[in-house]
Amino acid sequence: GQNIDQPTEMTATEGAIVQINCTYQTSGFNGLFWYQQHAGEAPTFLSYNVLDGLEEKGRFSSFLSRSKGYSYLLLKELQMKDSASYLCAALDSNYQLIWGAGTKLIIKP
Amino acid sequence: IAGITQAPTSQILAAGRRMTLRCTQDMRHNAMYWYRQDLGLGLRLIHYSNTAGTTGKGEVPDGYSVSRANTDDFPLTLASAVPSQTSVYFCASSDSRTGELFFGEGSRLTVL
């Protein structure tokens, strides 16, 4: 079956760095997405990786290892507004998105 | 710039009633989707449409139907609502160049 695993909840301190991991098992693979979702709001796009390596975009970076079925989202210089759920999703061979349950990130002052 | 508009934002519905959630996009995206999101679970695909005139079943299609008469509109209908359909429903469309999904603000449905 197809499956995405990510931690349910993480806590970090304002100004620090946090890494949210995601492992995936899919029928074929056409890329890995990260979305941010604030409570009561819609998910918004953060990043897309299809090749191995690190993609950096400001304070946020995303890493992919296709051979390991593994990705992580790295958030630097954490701000209180980064408190949200972070959703990992893999695109399978049929170009359908398989979603993880999301990681709730709590930022403490 | 509207993007994707969903209506209603929230609704309380008696079991057995029929309900249509509306979704309209102005980005001319071909592909559109309906997801439900429940606490502790990931987004689950209900139905999708790759282009106007075609629809397909997702992971949890039972009790729901969709239509895609044109590019912009993709309504979701619950023919006879049941309490297990209490959820937050998100409509989305995707940019065919990047695969990025754009979501509506969601419709919170409570079936009593």
Side-chain angles (χ1 to χ4, degrees):
Chain A
Q2 306 200 96
N3 192 52
I4 304 281
D5 284 317
Q6 53 182 131
T8 302
E9 187 175 295
M10 298 182 71
T11 302
T13 304
E14 189 176 16
I17 299 173
V18 71
Q19 177 175 310
I20 303 174
N21 297 323
C22 170
T23 58
Y24 63 88
Q25 294 174 310
T26 55
S27 301
F29 179 77
N30 283 296
L32 194 291
F33 289 85
W34 284 96
Y35 281 77
Q36 181 190 59
Q37 186 177 23
H38 286 101
E41 298 183 6
T44 56
F45 171 81
L46 286 178
S47 68
Y48 171 67
N49 295 64
V50 66
L51 300 176
D52 285 356
L54 187 68
E55 295 274 346
E56 297 185 75
K57 193 184 297 184
R59 294 188 299 114
F60 291 12
S61 302
S62 56
F63 172 83
L64 176 68
S65 169
R66 294 177 66 131
S67 62
K68 295 182 179 179
Y70 168 70
S71 173
Y72 68 72
L73 181 69
L74 191 72
L75 292 75
K76 303 176 184 176
E77 301 169 15
L78 286 169
Q79 303 175 10
M80 297 305 292
K81 67 178 182 179
D82 297 330
S83 292
S85 288
Y86 292 85
L87 312 181
C88 173
L91 203 58
D92 71 9
S93 58
N94 294 318
Y95 290 90
Q96 296 292 333
L97 273 174
I98 311 302
W99 293 86
T103 298
K104 182 178 180 180
L105 179 63
I106 299 167
I107 309 296
K108 295 185 175 180
Chain B
I1 298 175
I4 296 188
T5 303
Q6 289 185 232
T9 304
S10 67
Q11 181 76 44
I12 298 174
L13 188 66
R17 298 296 295 269
R18 181 184 179 88
M19 178 73 195
T20 295
L21 303 179
R22 301 183 297 277
C23 175
T24 300
Q25 55 119 346
D26 62 1
M27 297 176 282
R28 308 303 294 172
H29 288 161
N30 284 323
M32 296 188 73
Y33 310 84
W34 274 105
Y35 288 94
R36 60 177 289 173
Q37 188 175 41
D38 303 289
L39 195 64
L41 299 176
L43 288 161
R44 291 185 291 169
L45 184 64
I46 304 170
H47 285 286
Y48 65 93
S49 170
N50 288 328
T51 190
T54 69
T55 62
K57 293 182 179 180
E59 180 186 355
V60 288
D62 294 344
Y64 306 94
S65 63
V66 292
S67 61
R68 187 88 184 277
N70 56 61
T71 297
D72 298 344
D73 300 302
F74 190 44
L76 176 74
T77 297
L78 289 68
S80 179
V82 295
S84 62
Q85 292 177 311
T86 293
S87 187
V88 179
Y89 291 87
F90 286 102
C91 179
S93 68
S94 65
D95 185 329
S96 60
R97 297 166 301 166
T98 64
E100 179 182 347
L101 280 182
F102 295 82
F103 287 86
E105 290 303 308
S107 297
R108 182 175 296 276
L109 184 65
T110 302
V111 183
L112 302 176

